[in-house]
Amino acid sequence: MPKRKHKNRQKHRPNLSLSAVLRQNGLKAFRQNEFATAIAQWSRLNLETESAVRPALAEAHFRRALVVRETPQRVADLRRALELMPMESRYWYHLGLAYHRADQLNEALAAYARAADANFPRRAVGFARGLAEVERNPRVDLETLEWLLPDDRVTLSPIAALLRGDSQAVLASHSDSWIDRLKARLTGNSTQALWHGLALLSTGQVAQARDALALPPGQSLPAGAEAVRIFYRGLALAATGNQEAALAEWTAAASPTPRQQAVIASAYLRQVRAALDAGQWAAALKIAQAAHRLTAGQPAFVAAVLIAHNRLANEAAARGDWKEAAGHWEEMRASLATASDPSTRSGQGLGPVAPILHNLAVAQEMLEQWEAAAGAWIALMGTLPRRPSKARAKAAESDGRPASLPVTEQRHWLRRRALDCYKKAGLPDQAITHYRQVVKANPDDLDLRLELANVLLANDQLVAGRNELNRILEKDPKHIEAQVRMAEVHQQRGEDHDAERLLRAVLGTDPQCDPARRGMVELLRNRGHGQFNAGCIAQSQATYEAALKLAPDDADLLVSLGYAELSQRNPTAARAHFEAALAKGEGAAYLGVFQRWAYQKNLKEAQQILARAEAAGVASAYFYVDAAKACFDNSEPSDAFFGLLGPPRAKKKKSASDAWEALGRELLKKAEVAGGNQTDVLQHIVATLGPAQPSLALDYARKLAGRLRDDPAAWMLLGLLQAMNNQVRAAKETLRRAADLARKQGDSHLLAQIEDLRRGLNNPLFGLLSRVMPLLGPLDEADR
Amino acid sequence: MSSTSPEPKGSRPEDPYAVFGLEPTATLDEIKQAYFAQVRAHPPERDAEAFKRIRAAYERLRTPDRRLETDMLRLQPWPEPPVGELSGGDPALDLSVAPDDVIRAARAFSDLGRRDFREDFREVKC
């Protein structure tokens, strides 16, 4: 049976002609508002024979005209509709509107006239036509426009007066009687109030304009008129000193014109400046943000927002409110990032982002937001120049000014800091993860890959770091920084020959490359020391001389070379090198020469150098302490040596070594005087002399603990030295005190060390070990 | 390189440059001179608290490494841009009524301000 039905259905289906199909398809599309499709379908029909389609096609064009935005397309559609249906008044009217919107007033008037002639029923055509006349010529005599209805004439009159600048005419015709005002209130007709208000404003009656432009509650104007009313009321409010109310009005306005935006921006800017000048940062920020939104992102307000944020941030930081400070710097960071986007670039300099990132990182550390701080430090590192200029590197002297330090030093600091922060956040590998992602996205960016290598090496991932360096060198075998870094890695691993090969290659390409020169000088210096210690004096001299060619002002090399000459009994040559070193004027050079004479046990020469150091003004407290140590190394072997298996032996009669000891003690007194009894000098004395001269260091450790009464580390040091001097009971008491302090201060790490030491006191080997360890010191020195 | 010892959350040490009345660009020599001058003026036996401040400040600046640490953890000044000019100039409050605004308002009262013209639609038959 279904088969039969299907057969029957097939039999009764009519044969549709192409034109019918086109008609039907067009109608279907039209009813679905797909006017372009309807037009396409119907346009294929022969309109001479398909007369029913003509009005439909015209209507489709008309409907499409109402939805397209571009005037040419709209006009084209309406013209086509009129070709098809020339007597259709609606099409003429809308053509008039299309021309009118496009300010083509002559064409608009012609179209309106045709609409009127075709008896367009709506009376709006009269007003629109009249408005076009007035816009074309504000001085037109409305009375001569016969087709203009009286009501329209009344409505258009103030408009024409305003357009021709005749505000007085508007004011004269305005009725301010209470009846008319009541009528206006009751009928909701605020139109006349609008023209009246504008006329008052343009004649300088600002306060009255302000009041006239205020809309009674419950009344409204059409959107475009309302926007104009709001703007000018705001203007009147601003002119009468009520800036806040003006801004409130303007904030409510939609789509201000460019001129309105300029006026609004001007008023806002005055207010922002006033707030900033008065130190009202929060108010300035609020106004600037509102102005920025309202004026479509005028650059002046971007700057004002940033300034307000910055001042609020600094204020918050000053009172310790790091959360607020961080919030403001985050906003600045985001704003500067947006402003730097080429698609939104304002063209106005807004200041660098680096200080913001810096401050944000500091604030986030204060809040212990370690991960965020690490991110900020890394972002800051990204603002540093990739390849530091030689001029900047040259300007970096060792006086410690970070601004003049090479960028590489700052980068190194930032890298370490970011890693530390990630570790504190429990994400030790996050920095590496970050750089891996960045490198993955930019595999050919060798600078980024170098940064990854540096981070890996800083995180003690030596193999991975080397692999990245190798990848860089595979792509660019002459990449200087990678070669220098790889040379450093070789040096750390004791692979000096590989390090030297790389550094020589770099210097061959760039003889002025400072990192390579420094690396090579260190390599040669260490090699020279090794050769000297092995007794290969002549070789060490050649090595020092090779290093001096790269660093002719290196006083330490000159001193080493001089000592090599001394060791070969060439005092004249030695003195020449020593003098060259001393000519550099550095305290370290005087100390080095003093020490070398001390190693030679030449007291007279040593004393002469000492006098010269004092005359040159380089004899600091630290100088005296280090020189004193050299003296004590020459004095009677330390009591630690003879106390190996028992108490220190009794002092012998006065000997040459006593002269050294006397000089040493004298220098220590001078250190105390030069340092003004500073705790750091005492610490240096204890640290320097403690191992070899525990009995001497003990007195200073007592003084140090006396000065740093609340420092458990100072008491721990005293306890250790007391123990080394066999004052075990006193040592235990002192360490107990140190432990109590550490416990109170919550320093668990130091407490553990102190406890270990306390337990060590009970170990019978403690006395032996504490005396054996200092032996290493004097023996090492004797080799030199 | 030493890392800064942990500070109590929310607190920061005094600015060492402020203690010596120096700019952050002062040389090491200038810092030393200022330090010695301050110590002479406030010796520990006479003004222990002041001396502690001075000493603490000097500790943070006396070597290149410590100074770098200190400087890298100081808040940096941000060079503020000028509050500046508006693009297109900064007009005085202009109270004149622009003809364009009058036209815009006037048009709003006509069919030029409308978007809905369904009353002008006609049914289509074909």
Side-chain angles (χ1 to χ4, degrees):
Chain A
M1 291 311 155
K3 248 187 185 172
R4 186 180 290 238
K5 277 190 185 171
H6 177 66
K7 220 180 188 176
N8 289 340
R9 196 174 294 132
Q10 275 183 322
K11 261 193 190 167
H12 293 294
R13 179 174 292 176
N15 263 335
L16 289 176
S17 65
L18 176 62
S19 67
V21 168
L22 291 171
R23 280 201 306 274
Q24 281 186 12
N25 287 346
L27 192 62
K28 185 178 170 188
F30 183 91
R31 286 182 178 148
Q32 291 173 348
N33 294 332
E34 293 169 14
F35 304 117
T37 306
I39 290 168
Q41 294 290 308
W42 290 334
S43 295
R44 292 171 61 185
L45 293 166
N46 184 341
L47 297 178
E48 300 298 326
T49 55
E50 304 272 357
S51 57
V53 174
R54 183 181 288 269
L57 182 57
E59 192 66 17
H61 277 289
F62 170 63
R63 300 283 193 94
R64 189 167 74 171
L66 293 182
V67 297
V68 297
R69 290 199 177 272
E70 297 78 26
T71 300
Q73 179 63 51
R74 185 180 300 164
V75 168
D77 270 324
L78 288 166
R79 285 230 164 263
R80 178 62 183 143
L82 283 164
E83 279 174 15
L84 295 166
M85 303 291 291
M87 295 311 294
E88 185 54 73
S89 62
R90 296 176 293 135
Y91 300 162
W92 284 114
Y93 178 60
H94 281 276
L95 181 64
L97 292 176
Y99 279 128
H100 201 161
R101 285 196 188 96
D103 298 320
Q104 293 176 262
L105 298 174
N106 291 334
E107 292 84 349
L109 283 164
Y112 287 143
R114 292 296 296 269
D117 291 343
N119 297 317
F120 184 67
R122 203 154 64 244
R123 60 162 288 190
V125 64
F127 179 76
R129 191 176 174 188
L131 180 57
E133 287 283 3
V134 165
E135 288 183 36
R136 187 169 68 168
N137 177 18
R139 296 184 185 283
V140 65
D141 184 352
L142 295 174
E143 298 294 335
T144 63
L145 303 176
E146 299 151 354
W147 38 264
L148 197 59
L149 295 174
D151 282 353
D152 290 340
R153 200 167 280 128
V154 168
T155 306
L156 286 169
S157 178
I159 297 170
L162 285 170
L163 286 176
R164 61 176 184 266
D166 187 4
S167 299
Q168 288 300 336
V170 178
L171 296 175
S173 66
H174 177 75
S175 172
D176 207 24
S177 70
W178 66 271
I179 289 177
D180 287 318
R181 277 188 276 124
L182 180 62
K183 202 192 297 181
R185 191 180 289 266
L186 290 174
T187 60
N189 188 353
S190 306
T191 311
Q192 296 305 319
L194 174 62
W195 311 130
H196 183 228
L198 293 180
L200 286 166
L201 190 64
S202 59
T203 54
Q205 299 174 68
V206 183
Q208 295 92 317
R210 176 198 63 205
D211 296 336
L213 289 168
L215 208 58
Q219 291 191 13
S220 65
L221 296 174
E226 181 67 4
V228 170
R229 184 195 69 78
I230 286 172
F231 172 71
Y232 285 99
R233 174 157 158 80
L235 209 59
L237 284 164
T240 50
N242 198 338
Q243 296 281 350
E244 281 196 31
L247 293 173
E249 285 281 341
W250 288 332
T251 306
S255 309
T257 63
R259 183 231 168 188
Q260 288 174 349
Q261 277 189 356
V263 173
I264 292 170
S266 168
Y268 267 121
L269 192 62
R270 279 191 205 87
Q271 215 177 358
V272 164
R273 280 191 181 131
L276 287 173
D277 289 344
Q280 294 165 355
W281 318 133
L285 177 62
K286 197 173 163 190
I287 298 165
Q289 284 173 328
H292 184 250
R293 280 192 299 273
L294 208 60
T295 60
Q298 275 260 7
F301 297 114
V302 176
V305 165
L306 289 170
I307 290 168
H309 269 307
N310 187 53
R311 294 188 186 179
L312 285 165
N314 282 306
E315 202 174 58
R319 61 172 187 270
D321 188 346
W322 291 103
K323 190 172 175 191
E324 185 186 326
H328 286 298
W329 281 317
E330 270 290 3
E331 290 286 337
M332 291 181 73
R333 179 188 188 175
S335 293
L336 285 167
T338 306
S340 67
D341 176 358
S343 66
T344 59
R345 188 181 293 278
S346 65
Q348 193 174 28
L350 290 173
V353 71
I356 306 305
L357 289 169
H358 189 119
N359 296 344
L360 182 59
V362 170
Q364 284 165 339
E365 282 204 16
M366 293 304 294
L367 294 168
E368 295 184 4
Q369 294 172 355
W370 302 116
E371 190 179 354
W377 288 126
I378 287 178
L380 177 60
M381 198 157 45
T383 67
L384 294 175
R386 294 279 188 86
R387 294 188 193 278
S389 70
K390 286 180 184 169
R392 197 190 286 201
K394 201 175 165 109
E397 298 297 337
S398 59
D399 66 356
R401 277 183 289 170
S404 65
L405 271 176
V407 167
T408 45
E409 305 251 349
Q410 291 189 45
R411 194 183 288 281
H412 180 64
W413 188 95
L414 287 168
R415 191 181 307 123
R416 277 243 62 98
R417 195 77 184 188
L419 282 172
D420 286 346
C421 286
Y422 273 129
K423 281 176 185 164
K424 285 178 186 170
L427 302 165
D429 296 332
Q430 192 63 26
I432 295 164
T433 304
H434 165 80
Y435 276 108
R436 283 204 187 282
Q437 286 169 349
V438 171
V439 165
K440 193 174 175 186
N442 303 277
D444 295 329
D445 190 326
L446 297 185
D447 287 339
L448 281 174
R449 199 173 283 275
L450 180 65
E451 203 49 56
L452 171 59
N454 283 329
V455 166
L456 286 163
L457 291 168
N459 206 33
D460 298 324
Q461 295 184 27
L462 196 60
V463 172
R466 281 178 70 149
N467 289 343
E468 290 301 329
L469 290 173
N470 277 328
R471 284 191 191 108
I472 295 171
L473 292 170
E474 276 165 23
K475 287 181 188 275
D476 181 4
K478 293 198 174 170
H479 194 288
I480 288 180
E481 286 166 64
Q483 286 180 292
V484 171
R485 200 71 182 94
M486 185 66 96
E488 288 172 11
V489 171
H490 282 310
Q491 278 183 287
Q492 283 168 16
R493 292 167 61 89
E495 297 160 355
D496 278 2
H497 288 293
D498 291 326
E500 186 175 352
R501 174 180 51 80
L502 279 171
L503 290 171
R504 287 201 185 281
V506 170
L507 289 171
T509 308
D510 182 4
Q512 302 305 316
C513 176
D514 275 343
R517 283 174 61 245
R518 283 200 299 268
M520 183 62 94
V521 167
E522 280 318 297
L523 188 148
L524 292 171
R525 190 199 312 275
N526 293 334
R527 180 178 296 165
H529 291 343
Q531 287 163 338
F532 184 94
N533 288 340
C536 306
I537 310 297
Q539 282 175 306
S540 73
Q541 281 176 290
T543 304
Y544 290 141
E545 278 163 4
L548 264 173
K549 281 184 186 153
L550 295 170
D553 292 331
D554 191 315
D556 181 69
L557 286 170
L558 289 164
V559 171
S560 297
L561 206 47
Y563 193 49
E565 294 287 359
L566 264 187
S567 303
Q568 294 188 304
R569 294 184 170 75
N570 295 329
T572 307
R575 285 199 181 85
H577 290 305
F578 286 159
E579 287 304 317
L582 295 175
K584 308 301 175 193
E586 297 165 11
Y590 283 92
L591 180 63
V593 174
F594 177 92
Q595 286 170 330
R596 295 324 188 272
W597 285 121
Y599 299 153
Q600 293 285 311
K601 298 198 192 307
N602 192 327
L603 184 60
K604 185 181 165 191
E605 291 282 355
Q607 283 174 323
Q608 284 178 356
I609 294 300
L610 177 63
R612 288 177 65 180
E614 287 170 338
V618 300
S620 66
Y622 292 87
F623 174 92
Y624 284 128
V625 172
D626 292 340
K629 180 177 183 306
C631 296
F632 288 121
D633 289 341
N634 274 347
S635 68
E636 184 91 339
S638 76
D639 47 9
F641 180 82
F642 290 101
L644 184 61
L645 297 172
R649 64 173 193 177
K651 297 264 185 233
K652 287 169 67 175
K653 279 188 353 190
K654 193 179 173 83
S655 65
S657 67
D658 290 344
W660 284 105
E661 182 166 338
L663 179 59
R665 286 182 185 274
E666 182 191 336
L667 292 176
L668 283 181
K669 285 201 170 64
K670 287 188 175 183
E672 286 185 78
V673 171
N677 281 327
Q678 304 312 318
T679 51
D680 62 324
V681 173
L682 292 173
Q683 279 171 328
H684 190 57
I685 292 173
V686 172
T688 305
L689 297 182
Q693 307 287 338
S695 58
L696 193 58
L698 179 59
D699 284 338
Y700 291 97
R702 281 205 189 94
K703 285 184 191 175
L704 185 65
R707 287 192 174 276
L708 301 174
R709 302 190 69 79
D710 294 328
D711 187 349
W715 290 101
M716 184 179 84
L717 208 50
L718 175 59
L720 175 61
L721 282 166
Q722 284 169 332
M724 288 171 75
N725 282 278
N726 282 323
Q727 297 172 18
V728 177
R729 183 182 283 184
K732 284 184 177 177
E733 182 54 35
T734 303
L735 290 174
R736 187 194 60 74
R737 183 174 181 162
D740 285 344
L741 282 169
R743 198 174 291 113
K744 274 184 199 162
Q745 292 172 16
D747 193 338
S748 53
H749 180 66
L750 188 60
L751 180 61
Q753 286 182 305
I754 296 168
E755 293 297 347
D756 278 345
L757 199 50
R758 286 176 77 186
R759 280 191 289 275
L761 289 181
N762 296 323
N763 187 331
L765 291 179
F766 179 86
L768 174 66
L769 288 171
S770 69
R771 285 167 187 153
V772 166
M773 282 177 59
L775 287 177
L776 300 175
L779 284 173
D780 268 346
E781 292 301 326
D783 282 347
R784 295 178 63 81
Chain B
M1 180 185 348
S2 62
S3 59
T4 307
S5 52
E7 295 162 1
K9 191 171 173 182
S11 76
R12 284 178 64 77
E14 192 176 6
D15 180 5
Y17 294 104
V19 171
F20 296 121
L22 293 170
E23 290 297 320
T25 49
T27 63
L28 194 54
D29 277 346
E30 286 166 347
I31 291 169
K32 275 186 187 166
Q33 296 300 325
Y35 166 66
F36 291 135
Q38 291 269 10
V39 167
R40 281 195 293 274
H42 302 281
E45 58 276 6
R46 204 172 69 209
D47 196 347
E49 283 307 312
F51 177 78
K52 269 190 200 169
R53 277 181 65 230
I54 295 161
R55 185 68 215 168
Y58 185 60
E59 282 295 319
R60 297 177 67 205
L61 297 176
R62 64 182 183 84
T63 66
D65 278 352
R66 289 187 185 200
R67 191 172 176 183
L68 175 60
E69 181 87 356
T70 298
D71 284 352
M72 293 301 284
L73 292 175
R74 288 179 79 241
L75 292 180
Q76 301 293 308
W78 180 66
E80 291 183 354
V83 169
E85 305 305 319
L86 298 170
S87 54
D90 184 359
L93 206 56
D94 178 6
L95 299 181
S96 64
V97 176
D100 282 350
D101 288 336
V102 175
I103 290 171
R104 184 182 175 196
R107 288 187 182 185
F109 292 111
S110 71
D111 277 351
L112 291 162
R114 285 176 61 187
R115 294 216 177 272
D116 183 358
F117 290 101
R118 275 177 288 185
E119 65 183 286
D120 291 340
F121 291 178
R122 295 291 179 269
E123 191 55 42
V124 157
K125 296 170 194 168
C126 63

